[in-house]
Amino acid sequence: MPDSAPQQLLHLVIGGELTDLEHTTFKDLDQVDIVGVYPNYASAHAAWKAKAQQTVDNAHMRYFVVHLHRLLDPGQDTKSSS
């Protein structure tokens, strides 16, 4: 991988209707909306915001940004702080 290529910090945006507002348990896993995978937080946040605004009338509907890069390389945060 060339040094000049920008670092990919993959993010996943998903959402769906929750069983209650106190937990992040989806009501029906078959209905979870996988919005997409994005190369950085800014683009994932824009997608999250658009989907969240579309579902504002349903209080149980929630969308989340998952930091995939942290799952793929759990030591990444500790490497950068050393």
Side-chain angles (χ1 to χ4, degrees):
M1 182 175 189
D3 290 335
S4 62
Q7 184 181 16
Q8 287 185 342
L9 297 177
L10 297 177
H11 292 79
L12 169 67
V13 178
I14 63 170
E17 194 167 359
L18 302 179
T19 56
D20 61 62
L21 299 178
E22 300 295 320
H23 302 93
T24 55
T25 304
F26 290 108
K27 186 175 182 178
D28 183 358
L29 288 177
D30 291 330
Q31 297 297 318
V32 170
D33 182 12
I34 300 172
V35 179
V37 176
Y38 300 88
N40 55 53
Y41 180 78
S43 57
H45 183 266
W48 165 84
K49 187 175 180 179
K51 290 302 267 188
Q53 287 176 341
Q54 290 174 4
T55 60
V56 72
D57 291 337
N58 183 346
H60 284 87
M61 187 69 77
R62 293 285 192 269
Y63 280 86
F64 302 93
V65 176
V66 180
H67 299 265
L68 289 180
H69 62 97
R70 292 181 184 166
L71 298 174
L72 295 171
D73 187 2
Q76 180 178 350
D77 290 335
T78 58
K79 288 178 196 172
S80 63
S81 63
S82 319

